[in-house]
Amino acid sequence: MKSLDPRVNRLPTLSREITTKVPLDQLGTYEVFVQAKENKPFQHEGIVHASDIELAFVLAKETFTRRFTCVSIFVTDTRDVYVSALTEGTVNAYDTLPPYTPNANNILENYLIFHLLKRGKQHVLAGKVTASTPQEAMLKGKENLQDGKPVFNVWAIRESAIRHTQPEEMVLWKTLPDKKYRDASDYKAGDKLTRFLAQRKNEIL
Amino acid sequence: MKEVALKELLYKIADDQLILGHRNSEWTGFGPLLEEDIAFSSMAQDKVGQSYALYQLLNQLGEQEPDTVAFMRNAQQFHNCQLVELPNGEYDFSLIRHFLFDTAEAIRFDLLSQSSYQPLADLAKKIKGELQYHTLHANTLIKKLGSATPESIGRLQNSLDIALPYALGIFEPSPFESSIIAEGFFAGEAELQKQWILKVDALLAQTQLKPISWPTVKAIYGGRNGQHTEHLQPLLDEMSEVFKIDPTAEW
Amino acid sequence: MYGGGNTFEAIRTDSLAQEDPEKLAAFEAKIERGEKIEPTDWMPALYRKQLIRMIEQHAHSEIIGALPEGTWITRAPGFKRKLSLMAKVQDEVGHAQLLYSAAETLGKTREQMIDDLLSGKSKYSNIFNYPAFTWADSCFISWLVDAGAIVNQLANAKGSYGPYCRALERICAEESFHLKYGHHCVIFLATGTDKQRQMFQEAINRWWAPMMHFFGPSDKISAHTEILMKWKVKMGTNDDMRNQFLDMYVPKIWELGFTLPDPNLKKNPTTNKWEYTEPDWEEFKRVINGEGPCNKERIEVRRIAEERGRWVREALKAPQAAYVTPLA
Ligand SMILES: [Fe+2]
Ligand SMILES: [Fe+2]
Ligand SMILES: [Fe+2]
């Protein structure tokens, strides 16, 4: 291939004709949550494809936190997110939970509960509960984590299924605010432009 | 003497970061999966940014502007090790180089955070998180691909064998080595290499790649001295193609 | 980056007769109220199909759009430009990642979408089939092609599908960097040497026709998409988008003392609309159907990238990880 892009000219040529990819090399799906500032709740930001939770964490960091500020992220396998019904209007998703009686002998675990407070927006961390099952976690969320506004969707995630940012990893985002070149505010050319326009005006006159 | 030694140290580190950052940036848009494409590009940017910061330190020591230094020198004037100028090859080679180089880089800057030259120590402390990410990324992928399929293990092994002699070239001693150490600028290449071998061995032990028999690996030196492979000058010509249309213009 | 609703075809609405009328009415009422549709909501099959098609095309435009500017990534002049262009092209790859994910919530895997890109079954924005001859071309793209994309994306961000809107919100925030960066580059060329000015003027001359094509065929000849407008899938007509773009950027280009290669280009003071020589829509069709100067190269590069990355993805495929549809 003769290209204007020197990188393309260096690409190897393919030894065989490829029209479609080999079937199913699609990796797993992991949900990514980001905490922008110390006192802000974690918020769902999107997904990455990865082979496992550790790689998902590594890839999520640059996919979702390349600019502005970030103090911490976490990832979890999409299959580990328990999801309530999605409601609309004035219907609260918590009111649609099926009846459930937890077994008192079960082992308790921490669950993170996320709320969708407005359709079209992100799921935001509402708090943590201890429960033996996701169903129980949602019921506890219903009791303890509501503040009057209808919740349109609830997610419950077992904390042991989460890859958190470790304390010694907080430093990963330290130079983020210095990476001004990723920010629109770093591209000011107003002075140059003003001088140029003034000069042109003079030339025309 | 003292300042010459310091500048030599700064130049070689800066040149390493610039050339490898440039090489790695070639992957942007061509990566093996979108998320990895993004991560690899970020690390390339970090490296170019770090070289920029180092050339600024040199500028404060009386050297020319970073742009002039980076875009106007020819290959013989560059002090980078040859490892970083080699073409990207396939992803296995780029990844192995990234692992070998960044393991050394992270230790180097960790040692530099104790430098008696305060601006350098400050920079080293500041970028600790960036380097930590680079090694986290490299280690995660080498561990996975180094133990996955026969193809992935074979590819990494092959690239490792090719890269190792060049990787030892990272630690080519400087003519000012003793002065650099005596002045407390840096703990020295020998110390760096010692720590690096431990880290590389420890990580490879977690894979199905062969343990390295270090005495059989012969270091390829010369880069620190301005002797380069045939790949560096074309890289520089390409990098400065637009800049040299008019080096006095603002772009 | 993204080029408008340019490959919408005439929509066949017959499938709507099979939808449950009550559900359909509730769905339309929800959109009418300005509420967003989320992945697990009921939706007509036609809505799902058209959304997948649009978001997928948008995603392809981002990943292919990384290539023309990528042409200059190893040659950006000076540290600042080098860092900026790397970050800018990286963002475009990131936009593809975000958009494929949004489309995935509708039930098509990223892999299927990429397959369809490589086989030519699904399209991407036509403008990326043109070559970036000089550094100035990359500046034109960063500033003006991105500006055109922003006009589209800001409109689409007000659309009805939640995951797409969320992706676009992130994307638009990043685009503001692209736009400023691009304008910054162009101001430097415009206020620089004669050679620099000439480089940019030549880039304009090369890119103006594709730029006019960017927003898609004129409303007079383009397919009827009323139902998509009603469902807030398509958020404005091609001509409206084009007019918005001209309104915002032609004065800025003229201000810098450059000319545009269309003697008929002017704003009509009574209608407040821009008038221009009708773009050559035959050429547009030819290029979309594969006859452009770079179509082959763009797809071939993606094929090579996919093929070279195959061993990595195969090796990473772990039995415990499984592909599932993203949640939101
Ligand atoms: Fe690094
Ligand atoms: Fe953009
Ligand atoms: Fe984009």
Side-chain angles (χ1 to χ4, degrees):
Chain A
M1 207 174 346
K2 187 79 194 104
S3 171
L4 291 166
D5 186 343
R7 305 178 308 152
V8 171
N9 290 328
R10 286 191 285 274
L11 291 178
T13 45
L14 293 179
S15 49
R16 58 198 176 95
E17 186 61 39
I18 287 122
T19 44
T20 57
K21 296 195 302 166
V22 177
L24 284 177
D25 63 2
Q26 178 92 54
L27 304 175
T29 311
Y30 293 82
E31 305 288 334
V32 182
F33 299 81
V34 172
Q35 184 180 28
K37 289 200 176 104
E38 208 72 70
N39 48 6
K40 277 197 161 179
F42 278 87
Q43 171 173 310
H44 182 246
E45 288 296 346
I47 59 131
V48 291
H49 289 306
S51 54
D52 59 46
I53 201 159
E54 186 61 22
L55 185 61
F57 177 87
V58 170
L59 298 178
K61 192 232 162 203
E62 289 308 314
T63 304
F64 289 100
T65 61
R66 292 200 300 281
R67 40 170 67 76
F68 309 122
T69 61
C70 173
V71 290
S72 183
I73 65 171
F74 71 75
V75 294
T76 190
D77 191 319
T78 301
R79 293 169 297 175
D80 284 323
V81 183
Y82 296 88
V83 180
S84 79
L86 179 70
T87 58
E88 59 192 85
T90 53
V91 183
N92 191 326
Y94 275 123
D95 296 335
T96 68
L97 296 179
Y100 176 75
T101 325
N103 183 337
N105 299 326
N106 284 349
I107 303 156
L108 293 179
E109 277 197 84
N110 283 335
Y111 281 84
L112 299 189
I113 302 289
F114 285 80
H115 288 168
L116 179 68
L117 293 175
K118 188 171 193 303
R119 281 168 161 267
K121 296 291 168 199
Q122 279 87 357
H123 288 71
V124 177
L125 181 64
K128 204 187 276 194
V129 297
T130 53
S132 58
T133 60
Q135 292 92 323
E136 187 188 358
M138 288 208 185
L139 288 172
K140 290 216 172 152
K142 181 178 182 178
E143 277 166 42
N144 304 316
L145 298 176
Q146 296 201 76
D147 62 354
K149 283 178 245 149
V151 177
F152 297 111
N153 194 219
V154 186
W155 288 354
I157 310 170
R158 206 164 18 89
E159 194 156 36
S160 59
I162 288 173
R163 165 59 161 99
H164 281 289
T165 300
Q166 302 304 310
E168 70 274 12
E169 289 171 336
M170 302 284 194
V171 68
L172 294 182
W173 293 274
K174 196 180 153 201
T175 54
L176 207 47
D178 299 322
K179 297 193 186 300
K180 292 271 192 301
Y181 66 91
R182 285 188 179 136
D183 189 352
S185 68
D186 204 34
Y187 297 89
K188 296 203 174 74
D191 291 353
K192 233 181 175 35
L193 186 59
T194 315
R195 266 200 314 278
F196 171 78
L197 295 180
Q199 204 184 328
R200 259 175 69 83
K201 212 167 161 190
N202 281 338
E203 279 165 19
I204 291 164
L205 286 179
Chain B
M1 183 62 189
K2 205 172 111 178
E3 193 165 298
V4 179
L6 176 61
K7 283 184 182 175
E8 200 261 354
L9 176 68
L10 291 171
Y11 262 118
K12 77 174 169 196
I13 305 172
D15 291 350
D16 274 355
Q17 303 302 104
L18 174 64
I19 301 302
L20 189 52
H22 176 93
R23 275 292 185 223
N24 288 347
S25 80
E26 292 182 32
W27 277 105
T28 304
F30 299 169
L33 91 154
L34 293 178
E35 287 87 350
E36 174 62 5
D37 196 311
I38 296 166
F40 216 65
S41 179
S42 278
M43 295 186 290
Q45 291 164 44
D46 287 349
K47 283 192 159 50
V48 172
Q50 289 156 8
S51 75
Y52 189 29
L54 289 159
Y55 291 126
Q56 280 165 333
L57 293 186
L58 280 161
N59 185 227
Q60 286 156 20
L61 292 170
E63 297 296 291
Q64 284 185 291
E65 294 281 322
D67 278 349
T68 311
V69 168
F71 289 81
M72 295 303 286
R73 281 180 300 160
N74 60 35
Q76 293 83 45
Q77 294 167 295
F78 271 77
H79 299 260
N80 59 279
C81 59
Q82 293 183 6
L83 176 71
V84 298
E85 71 203 39
L86 299 175
N88 282 342
E90 291 300 312
Y91 208 65
D92 43 86
F93 183 78
S94 289
L95 194 62
I96 279 286
R97 170 166 60 185
H98 162 56
F99 162 65
L100 295 172
F101 182 85
D102 283 40
T103 301
E105 173 195 53
I107 305 168
R108 186 187 291 279
F109 279 101
D110 190 38
L111 293 168
L112 286 172
S113 66
Q114 307 298 319
S115 175
S116 62
Y117 181 55
Q118 200 55 44
L120 185 54
D122 292 344
L123 176 68
K125 283 181 203 138
K126 189 173 127 182
I127 63 173
K128 183 174 186 286
E130 291 178 9
L131 306 177
Q132 190 173 325
Y133 179 75
H134 298 191
T135 49
L136 173 69
H137 173 274
N139 294 348
T140 306
L141 276 164
I142 295 289
K143 271 193 271 184
K144 290 204 182 316
L145 297 175
S147 332
T149 59
E151 181 176 10
S152 73
I153 296 165
R155 279 174 173 271
L156 288 190
Q157 186 66 59
N158 186 42
S159 289
L160 183 63
D161 295 344
I162 295 169
L164 272 176
Y166 290 99
L168 284 180
I170 298 173
F171 315 105
E172 178 179 351
S174 152
F176 308 104
E177 205 66 28
S178 53
S179 149
I180 285 170
I181 298 169
E183 291 293 340
F185 294 144
F186 177 55
E189 300 300 324
E191 174 62 24
L192 174 59
Q193 178 172 341
K194 199 178 80 193
Q195 294 192 25
W196 176 80
I197 286 179
L198 292 177
K199 284 245 159 93
V200 169
D201 282 344
L203 199 283
L204 292 182
Q206 300 171 59
T207 69
Q208 291 175 40
L209 298 169
K210 282 188 261 157
I212 297 164
S213 152
W214 292 104
T216 66
V217 187
K218 199 174 168 317
I220 296 176
Y221 284 163
R224 303 300 187 202
N225 230 338
Q227 290 157 24
H228 293 283
T229 65
E230 76 270 27
H231 305 295
L232 183 60
Q233 192 57 52
L235 179 155
L236 297 172
D237 292 342
E238 183 175 317
M239 185 170 88
S240 57
E241 183 189 309
V242 179
F243 191 86
K244 283 181 176 165
I245 291 174
D246 186 345
T248 63
E250 283 189 276
W251 291 93
Chain C
M1 285 171 241
Y2 172 48
N6 48 7
T7 67
F8 279 107
E9 286 161 2
I11 305 296
R12 293 174 54 104
T13 51
D14 1 344
S15 72
L16 283 181
Q18 277 130 52
E19 303 288 4
D20 178 334
E22 245 172 72
K23 284 183 179 160
L24 183 60
F27 167 83
E28 291 188 336
K30 191 154 42 177
I31 291 175
E32 181 71 37
R33 286 198 302 275
E35 274 189 56
K36 303 290 182 188
I37 306 298
E38 292 291 348
T40 53
D41 283 330
W42 183 90
M43 60 184 83
L46 184 64
Y47 177 81
R48 184 183 300 275
K49 187 176 149 205
Q50 291 297 327
L51 262 181
I52 291 177
R53 184 194 174 96
M54 178 177 73
I55 303 173
E56 178 181 347
Q57 273 180 25
H58 188 171
H60 295 330
S61 302
E62 302 284 349
I63 190 72
I64 296 288
L67 299 177
E69 278 172 294
T71 304
W72 292 91
I73 208 163
T74 56
R75 295 177 283 180
F79 270 102
K80 290 205 165 140
R81 297 298 186 221
K82 197 170 176 64
L83 282 167
S84 311
L85 185 58
M86 283 161 77
K88 201 264 178 197
V89 178
Q90 175 193 39
D91 279 350
E92 305 301 358
V93 178
H95 296 171
Q97 197 276 350
L98 293 170
L99 291 161
Y100 284 126
S101 306
E104 281 177 66
T105 63
L106 292 158
K108 186 166 183 182
T109 66
R110 184 195 291 180
E111 186 183 22
Q112 287 170 320
M113 291 186 262
I114 291 176
D115 270 352
D116 287 348
L117 170 68
L118 298 187
S119 71
K121 192 174 157 209
S122 65
K123 304 289 184 207
Y124 54 88
S125 181
N126 209 29
I127 202 161
F128 303 122
N129 288 320
Y130 291 85
F133 279 105
T134 70
W135 167 252
D137 291 19
S138 90
C139 300
F140 184 100
I141 301 172
S142 293
W143 184 30
L144 293 164
V145 179
D146 276 53
I150 293 170
V151 169
N152 282 324
Q153 291 175 154
L154 282 175
N156 284 355
K158 298 192 189 79
S160 60
Y161 189 55
Y164 188 41
C165 297
R166 283 189 289 272
L168 285 172
E169 225 169 275
R170 282 193 83 92
I171 289 171
C172 288
E174 298 183 351
E175 293 292 1
S176 68
F177 146 55
H178 300 179
L179 185 68
K180 286 278 188 186
Y181 157 72
H183 195 204
H184 197 265
C185 290
V186 172
I187 290 174
F188 273 56
L189 294 178
T191 61
T193 63
D194 288 349
K195 169 81 188 159
Q196 286 174 305
R197 284 190 62 84
Q198 186 201 339
M199 279 171 78
F200 193 67
Q201 182 62 59
E202 286 168 3
I204 293 179
N205 299 347
R206 281 191 284 270
W207 284 84
W208 193 246
M211 192 72 235
M212 291 297 282
H213 285 150
F214 179 81
F215 301 91
S218 104
D219 296 348
K220 287 181 293 243
I221 59 164
S222 64
H224 290 283
T225 52
E226 286 85 358
I227 187 92
L228 298 182
M229 297 274 226
K230 181 173 167 195
W231 287 347
K232 296 188 186 164
V233 171
K234 191 166 162 54
M235 297 300 290
T237 75
N238 295 351
D239 284 341
D240 282 348
M241 299 294 189
R242 189 162 21 243
N243 195 66
Q244 255 189 60
F245 169 81
L246 294 172
D247 215 30
M248 287 168 80
Y249 295 97
V250 170
K252 288 197 163 78
I253 299 168
W254 280 341
E255 169 182 69
L256 292 169
F258 294 114
T259 58
L260 291 167
D262 179 359
N264 299 320
L265 183 70
K266 62 171 186 302
K267 191 170 180 172
N268 181 325
T270 31
T271 61
N272 245 341
K273 298 260 190 239
W274 285 81
E275 291 170 359
Y276 43 80
T277 310
E278 193 60 30
D280 180 354
W281 298 116
E282 286 312 308
E283 149 96 0
F284 173 77
K285 270 188 217 147
R286 259 198 326 274
V287 175
I288 263 205
N289 290 324
E291 306 286 297
C294 299
N295 300 53
K296 284 203 181 64
E297 174 180 333
R298 301 293 183 235
I299 293 297
E300 185 62 9
V301 167
R302 278 319 308 163
R303 272 188 199 148
I304 294 173
E306 289 296 325
E307 181 59 13
R308 288 172 95 200
R310 191 170 53 86
W311 70 269
V312 179
R313 294 188 304 274
E314 270 175 8
L316 288 177
K317 242 185 97 62
Q320 73 276 10
Y323 176 73
V324 286
T325 303
L327 293 175

